[in-house]
Amino acid sequence: MKKILLPILLLILTSRIANAANIICTAPTCSINAPGALSPYDSIKITAGNYTTLQFSNLPAHITICNYLGLVTFSGSGYMDWGNSTASMKDLHFTGTGYAGLFYGFKFTNNSDAILSTSPNNQRIEFDHIDCEGVPNNVFDCSGYSTNYTGDSSTCKWYRVRLHDILMNNSGQLYQGTYGTIEQTPYISDSVSMWDILCNNTSYKGSIVVGPISRINAHDFSVIFAGLNSVTGDVGMFQIAGNGSINHIYQYGGRGYICRMLNFSLVAFPSAFTFYDNIK
């Protein structure tokens, strides 16, 4: 029975991928309202060019968004619009790997505030190979309202989210979660991974990743702060309530610690927090 069932399952999955469709956008606007336009495993390909509007609404699960035929530059006046103030995003992959030989296929310039500003709960989303040039505030802003955490992973602010291969020049924080200590906020992220992050001349003086995150896995960051530090205070580059692992971090300039961690766990027995091979 198992030998018969496995090929059938593989055939169904292969058929879904083979039948996947592509929607191709051209500059200066990419606006996708997904009902009826997209199905799971479809792709949105954004043609190289300069965009003032990127809007995605009601995306189904298992959607890939990538650059197409070259570099995509967003110079809009505000947040890239996901149209998701009341709906969660699941199984989304936003990647700048759509053109061979171009490492960062998406560029966000100094007129944009964030790549993602989200209020609802998001699960299994991934953002990678992105260049942020002069993005003044939080590149990923998750400080807004969402469903309270109830013990189920579906009520996490972020769950199993991956951020990697991101370049930030003269920009602000990489990630801002909900404000306050774990006792003050019911909005918790879990199982978040961040790696291969380059922050050059960051405009923030101390913090890069802030908010309650359980089981964070952050490694291979290089962060260089701009100018002379005239601000004092008790703050960390990673200012987190949670647990997990932070390693292979290089910090130059700025203020405070590489990491300030208030240890807590979502399970009865607190998970370990490891911190190693970091240089300040």
Side-chain angles (χ1 to χ4, degrees):
M1 183 63 181
K2 292 181 179 179
K3 292 182 179 179
I4 296 174
L5 185 59
L6 182 58
I8 292 175
L9 292 174
L10 290 174
L11 180 61
I12 292 172
L13 180 60
T14 303
S15 176
R16 284 178 179 174
I17 296 173
N19 293 328
N22 295 320
I23 291 181
I24 298 178
C25 296
T26 56
T29 297
C30 180
S31 181
I32 304 295
N33 192 357
L38 287 169
S39 300
Y41 303 100
D42 286 350
S43 297
I44 300 171
K45 294 187 175 182
I46 306 178
T47 306
N50 189 8
Y51 289 76
T52 56
T53 301
L54 295 176
Q55 295 179 327
F56 309 102
S57 300
N58 303 302
L59 298 180
H62 302 289
I63 294 297
T64 298
I65 301 173
C66 66
N67 62 308
Y68 180 57
L69 299 178
L71 177 66
V72 172
T73 300
F74 176 59
S75 56
S77 59
Y79 297 112
M80 186 168 67
D81 185 4
W82 293 89
N84 64 336
S85 59
T86 59
S88 299
M89 289 193 297
K90 297 180 181 179
D91 301 287
L92 171 75
H93 188 193
F94 186 95
T95 177
T97 58
Y99 186 74
L102 188 63
F103 193 78
Y104 299 109
F106 284 105
K107 178 187 286 188
F108 292 81
T109 65
N110 57 358
N111 290 326
S112 55
D113 290 329
I115 295 173
L116 176 64
S117 177
T118 178
S119 292
N121 308 76
N122 299 304
Q123 301 177 41
R124 299 178 301 276
I125 61 176
E126 181 173 3
F127 286 81
D128 61 86
H129 294 85
I130 296 166
D131 177 8
C132 300
E133 299 290 333
V135 176
N137 296 314
N138 306 310
V139 174
F140 293 92
D141 190 340
C142 301
S143 59
Y145 171 80
S146 64
T147 302
N148 292 0
Y149 176 70
T150 64
D152 186 272
S153 62
S154 65
T155 61
C156 288
K157 183 72 174 182
W158 270 13
Y159 178 65
R160 292 177 61 186
V161 173
R162 292 148 53 103
L163 309 176
H164 62 94
D165 296 291
I166 295 175
L167 172 64
M168 297 166 54
N169 287 321
N170 299 303
S171 296
Q173 291 184 167
L174 173 66
Y175 171 87
Q176 175 63 60
T178 49
Y179 295 94
T181 64
I182 194 59
E183 294 86 359
Q184 297 169 330
T185 175
Y187 314 135
I188 301 170
S189 294
D190 180 45
S191 302
V192 176
S193 297
M194 308 172 179
W195 72 92
D196 289 341
I197 309 294
L198 300 177
C199 304
N200 297 319
N201 295 319
T202 178
S203 60
Y204 272 47
K205 293 297 184 183
S207 54
I208 296 295
V209 177
V210 177
I213 304 176
S214 173
R215 292 185 289 190
I216 187 174
N217 179 24
H219 60 89
D220 294 287
F221 277 59
S222 175
V223 179
I224 299 174
F225 289 88
L228 298 176
N229 175 30
S230 59
V231 183
T232 60
D234 190 14
V235 69
M237 192 176 93
F238 289 86
Q239 194 167 333
I240 303 170
N243 54 47
S245 179
I246 294 177
N247 61 84
H248 295 89
I249 308 296
Y250 173 76
Q251 177 188 357
Y252 180 83
R255 64 183 172 122
Y257 319 111
I258 288 181
C259 177
R260 185 181 183 211
M261 172 70 74
L262 174 62
N263 197 31
F264 87 94
S265 178
L266 296 180
V267 296
F269 297 97
S271 302
F273 171 64
T274 58
F275 181 85
Y276 60 92
D277 290 340
N278 302 302
I279 299 174
K280 177 174 171 63

